[in-house]
Amino acid sequence: VQLVESGGGLVQAGDSLRLSCAASGGTLSMYAKGWFRQVLGKEREFVAAIGASGRTRDYAESVKGRFTIFRDNAKDTAYLQMNNLQPEDTAVYYCAADRLSYRGPRRTRDEYAYWGQGTQVTVSS
């Protein structure tokens, strides 16, 4: 099973983007999903996560109130709606799926077994 991200791009501060993360080659619809981001030379950091059912969510403090994670299990796709983007949000964004099914949102990278290839988000000031 693979995860494929899309929706990244170059925007100005204050703009919005929506990232998508679709599973292919199998189903991950009952796995918690997460979004992480990484800047060159820094560790990959947690951004947001959503439980398998979609009822519970978790966010990093830096994105609370600006980013929203949601999912459509019928489409086996997770999304990250990013509003009021700032230059410090510039990074490669990765989606991931939990290594176990039917769990709530996870914050730790090691808890994820499936990763996408990443999509670049660049925010200019």
Side-chain angles (χ1 to χ4, degrees), residues 12-42:
Q12 294 185 328
D15 285 351
S16 299
L17 277 176
R18 178 177 292 182
L19 305 183
S20 299
C21 172
S24 67
T27 179
L28 292 172
S29 61
M30 293 319 299
Y31 289 73
K33 301 281 177 55
W35 287 94
F36 291 74
R37 65 188 182 187
Q38 188 169 21
V39 175
L40 191 63
K42 294 188 176 181

Short mmCIF file of all heavy atoms in Angstrom, two decimals, residues 12-42:
data_model
loop_
_atom_site.label_atom_id
_atom_site.label_comp_id
_atom_site.label_asym_id
_atom_site.label_seq_id
_atom_site.Cartn_x
_atom_site.Cartn_y
_atom_site.Cartn_z
N GLN A 12 1.42 32.95 -0.99
CA GLN A 12 1.85 34.10 -0.20
C GLN A 12 1.31 33.98 1.22
O GLN A 12 0.33 33.26 1.47
CB GLN A 12 1.34 35.39 -0.84
CG GLN A 12 1.97 35.69 -2.19
CD GLN A 12 1.53 37.03 -2.74
OE1 GLN A 12 0.42 37.49 -2.50
NE2 GLN A 12 2.44 37.68 -3.49
N ALA A 13 1.95 34.69 2.12
CA ALA A 13 1.50 34.69 3.52
C ALA A 13 0.03 35.10 3.59
O ALA A 13 -0.39 36.04 2.92
CB ALA A 13 2.36 35.64 4.34
N GLY A 14 -0.73 34.35 4.39
CA GLY A 14 -2.15 34.62 4.53
C GLY A 14 -3.03 33.77 3.61
O GLY A 14 -4.25 33.70 3.82
N ASP A 15 -2.42 33.12 2.63
CA ASP A 15 -3.18 32.28 1.70
C ASP A 15 -3.50 30.92 2.33
O ASP A 15 -3.03 30.59 3.43
CB ASP A 15 -2.38 32.08 0.41
CG ASP A 15 -2.39 33.31 -0.46
OD1 ASP A 15 -3.15 34.26 -0.17
OD2 ASP A 15 -1.62 33.33 -1.44
N SER A 16 -4.26 30.12 1.58
CA SER A 16 -4.66 28.78 2.03
C SER A 16 -4.23 27.73 1.01
O SER A 16 -4.10 28.03 -0.18
CB SER A 16 -6.17 28.72 2.22
OG SER A 16 -6.61 29.62 3.21
N LEU A 17 -4.05 26.52 1.49
CA LEU A 17 -3.80 25.36 0.66
C LEU A 17 -4.50 24.16 1.29
O LEU A 17 -4.65 24.11 2.52
CB LEU A 17 -2.30 25.04 0.55
CG LEU A 17 -1.44 25.79 -0.46
CD1 LEU A 17 0.02 25.36 -0.30
CD2 LEU A 17 -1.91 25.55 -1.87
N ARG A 18 -4.87 23.21 0.46
CA ARG A 18 -5.40 21.94 0.97
C ARG A 18 -4.55 20.82 0.42
O ARG A 18 -4.44 20.65 -0.81
CB ARG A 18 -6.86 21.74 0.56
CG ARG A 18 -7.42 20.40 1.04
CD ARG A 18 -8.88 20.25 0.69
NE ARG A 18 -9.71 21.18 1.43
CZ ARG A 18 -11.04 21.22 1.32
NH1 ARG A 18 -11.67 20.37 0.53
NH2 ARG A 18 -11.73 22.10 2.01
N LEU A 19 -3.98 20.06 1.31
CA LEU A 19 -3.21 18.88 0.93
C LEU A 19 -4.10 17.65 0.99
O LEU A 19 -4.97 17.54 1.85
CB LEU A 19 -2.02 18.68 1.88
CG LEU A 19 -1.07 19.87 2.03
CD1 LEU A 19 0.09 19.47 2.95
CD2 LEU A 19 -0.56 20.34 0.70
N SER A 20 -3.86 16.73 0.08
CA SER A 20 -4.59 15.46 0.05
C SER A 20 -3.61 14.31 0.18
O SER A 20 -2.46 14.41 -0.25
CB SER A 20 -5.36 15.31 -1.26
OG SER A 20 -6.31 16.33 -1.40
N CYS A 21 -4.11 13.22 0.74
CA CYS A 21 -3.29 12.03 0.94
C CYS A 21 -4.17 10.82 0.63
O CYS A 21 -5.06 10.47 1.40
CB CYS A 21 -2.79 11.98 2.38
SG CYS A 21 -1.95 10.44 2.82
N ALA A 22 -3.90 10.20 -0.51
CA ALA A 22 -4.72 9.08 -0.95
C ALA A 22 -3.94 7.78 -0.89
O ALA A 22 -2.75 7.75 -1.21
CB ALA A 22 -5.20 9.32 -2.38
N ALA A 23 -4.61 6.72 -0.50
CA ALA A 23 -3.99 5.40 -0.46
C ALA A 23 -4.19 4.71 -1.80
O ALA A 23 -5.24 4.84 -2.43
CB ALA A 23 -4.59 4.56 0.65
N SER A 24 -3.18 4.00 -2.23
CA SER A 24 -3.28 3.23 -3.47
C SER A 24 -2.65 1.87 -3.28
O SER A 24 -1.75 1.71 -2.45
CB SER A 24 -2.60 3.97 -4.63
OG SER A 24 -1.21 4.03 -4.42
N GLY A 25 -3.16 0.89 -4.01
CA GLY A 25 -2.62 -0.45 -3.91
C GLY A 25 -3.13 -1.22 -2.71
O GLY A 25 -2.58 -2.27 -2.37
N GLY A 26 -4.15 -0.71 -2.07
CA GLY A 26 -4.72 -1.35 -0.90
C GLY A 26 -5.53 -0.34 -0.14
O GLY A 26 -5.70 0.79 -0.59
N THR A 27 -6.03 -0.72 1.04
CA THR A 27 -6.85 0.20 1.81
C THR A 27 -6.22 0.50 3.16
O THR A 27 -5.70 -0.39 3.84
CB THR A 27 -8.27 -0.37 2.00
OG1 THR A 27 -9.03 0.57 2.78
CG2 THR A 27 -8.25 -1.71 2.71
N LEU A 28 -6.29 1.78 3.53
CA LEU A 28 -5.85 2.22 4.86
C LEU A 28 -6.96 3.04 5.49
O LEU A 28 -6.70 3.92 6.31
CB LEU A 28 -4.57 3.06 4.72
CG LEU A 28 -3.33 2.30 4.28
CD1 LEU A 28 -2.17 3.24 4.00
CD2 LEU A 28 -2.90 1.29 5.35
N SER A 29 -8.18 2.73 5.12
CA SER A 29 -9.30 3.57 5.55
C SER A 29 -9.56 3.47 7.05
O SER A 29 -10.18 4.36 7.62
CB SER A 29 -10.56 3.21 4.77
OG SER A 29 -10.91 1.85 5.01
N MET A 30 -9.12 2.40 7.71
CA MET A 30 -9.38 2.26 9.13
C MET A 30 -8.09 2.40 9.95
O MET A 30 -7.92 1.78 11.00
CB MET A 30 -10.05 0.93 9.42
CG MET A 30 -11.46 0.83 8.86
SD MET A 30 -12.45 2.35 9.05
CE MET A 30 -12.51 2.54 10.79
N TYR A 31 -7.21 3.23 9.47
CA TYR A 31 -5.97 3.53 10.16
C TYR A 31 -5.91 5.02 10.47
O TYR A 31 -6.31 5.84 9.62
CB TYR A 31 -4.76 3.15 9.31
CG TYR A 31 -4.55 1.66 9.17
CD1 TYR A 31 -5.40 0.90 8.37
CD2 TYR A 31 -3.52 1.02 9.83
CE1 TYR A 31 -5.23 -0.46 8.25
CE2 TYR A 31 -3.33 -0.35 9.71
CZ TYR A 31 -4.19 -1.09 8.91
OH TYR A 31 -4.01 -2.44 8.80
N ALA A 32 -5.40 5.35 11.64
CA ALA A 32 -5.17 6.76 11.94
C ALA A 32 -4.20 7.33 10.91
O ALA A 32 -3.33 6.63 10.40
CB ALA A 32 -4.59 6.91 13.34
N LYS A 33 -4.39 8.59 10.59
CA LYS A 33 -3.54 9.27 9.63
C LYS A 33 -2.90 10.50 10.28
O LYS A 33 -3.49 11.12 11.17
CB LYS A 33 -4.37 9.72 8.42
CG LYS A 33 -5.07 8.58 7.66
CD LYS A 33 -4.14 7.85 6.75
CE LYS A 33 -4.80 6.67 6.04
NZ LYS A 33 -6.00 6.99 5.30
N GLY A 34 -1.74 10.82 9.82
CA GLY A 34 -1.06 11.99 10.36
C GLY A 34 -0.37 12.78 9.27
O GLY A 34 -0.10 12.25 8.18
N TRP A 35 -0.11 14.03 9.58
CA TRP A 35 0.68 14.89 8.72
C TRP A 35 1.90 15.36 9.51
O TRP A 35 1.78 15.79 10.67
CB TRP A 35 -0.12 16.10 8.25
CG TRP A 35 -1.16 15.78 7.22
CD1 TRP A 35 -2.46 15.51 7.44
CD2 TRP A 35 -0.96 15.70 5.81
NE1 TRP A 35 -3.10 15.25 6.25
CE2 TRP A 35 -2.20 15.36 5.24
CE3 TRP A 35 0.14 15.87 4.97
CZ2 TRP A 35 -2.38 15.20 3.85
CZ3 TRP A 35 -0.04 15.72 3.60
CH2 TRP A 35 -1.28 15.38 3.05
N PHE A 36 3.04 15.30 8.87
CA PHE A 36 4.29 15.77 9.43
C PHE A 36 4.93 16.71 8.42
O PHE A 36 4.57 16.71 7.24
CB PHE A 36 5.25 14.60 9.71
CG PHE A 36 4.79 13.69 10.83
CD1 PHE A 36 3.75 12.80 10.65
CD2 PHE A 36 5.42 13.73 12.06
CE1 PHE A 36 3.32 11.97 11.68
CE2 PHE A 36 5.01 12.90 13.10
CZ PHE A 36 3.97 12.02 12.90
N ARG A 37 5.88 17.50 8.87
CA ARG A 37 6.60 18.37 7.94
C ARG A 37 8.07 18.41 8.30
O ARG A 37 8.45 18.17 9.45
CB ARG A 37 6.01 19.78 7.92
CG ARG A 37 6.14 20.54 9.22
CD ARG A 37 5.33 21.85 9.14
NE ARG A 37 5.46 22.64 10.36
CZ ARG A 37 4.75 23.75 10.60
NH1 ARG A 37 3.86 24.19 9.70
NH2 ARG A 37 4.93 24.42 11.73
N GLN A 38 8.87 18.70 7.29
CA GLN A 38 10.32 18.70 7.50
C GLN A 38 10.97 19.79 6.69
O GLN A 38 10.71 19.94 5.49
CB GLN A 38 10.91 17.33 7.11
CG GLN A 38 12.37 17.17 7.46
CD GLN A 38 12.83 15.74 7.30
OE1 GLN A 38 12.23 14.94 6.57
NE2 GLN A 38 13.90 15.38 8.00
N VAL A 39 11.83 20.53 7.37
CA VAL A 39 12.67 21.53 6.73
C VAL A 39 14.07 20.94 6.60
O VAL A 39 14.53 20.23 7.50
CB VAL A 39 12.70 22.82 7.56
CG1 VAL A 39 13.67 23.83 6.96
CG2 VAL A 39 11.31 23.42 7.67
N LEU A 40 14.73 21.21 5.50
CA LEU A 40 16.07 20.66 5.26
C LEU A 40 16.99 20.93 6.44
O LEU A 40 17.10 22.07 6.90
CB LEU A 40 16.65 21.26 3.99
CG LEU A 40 17.92 20.61 3.44
CD1 LEU A 40 17.65 19.17 3.05
CD2 LEU A 40 18.46 21.40 2.27
N GLY A 41 17.59 19.87 6.95
CA GLY A 41 18.51 20.00 8.07
C GLY A 41 17.87 19.89 9.43
O GLY A 41 18.56 19.92 10.44
N LYS A 42 16.54 19.76 9.46
CA LYS A 42 15.84 19.63 10.73
C LYS A 42 15.08 18.32 10.77
O LYS A 42 14.86 17.68 9.74
CB LYS A 42 14.89 20.81 10.93
CG LYS A 42 15.59 22.15 11.09
CD LYS A 42 14.62 23.23 11.48
CE LYS A 42 15.34 24.55 11.74
NZ LYS A 42 14.38 25.61 12.15
#
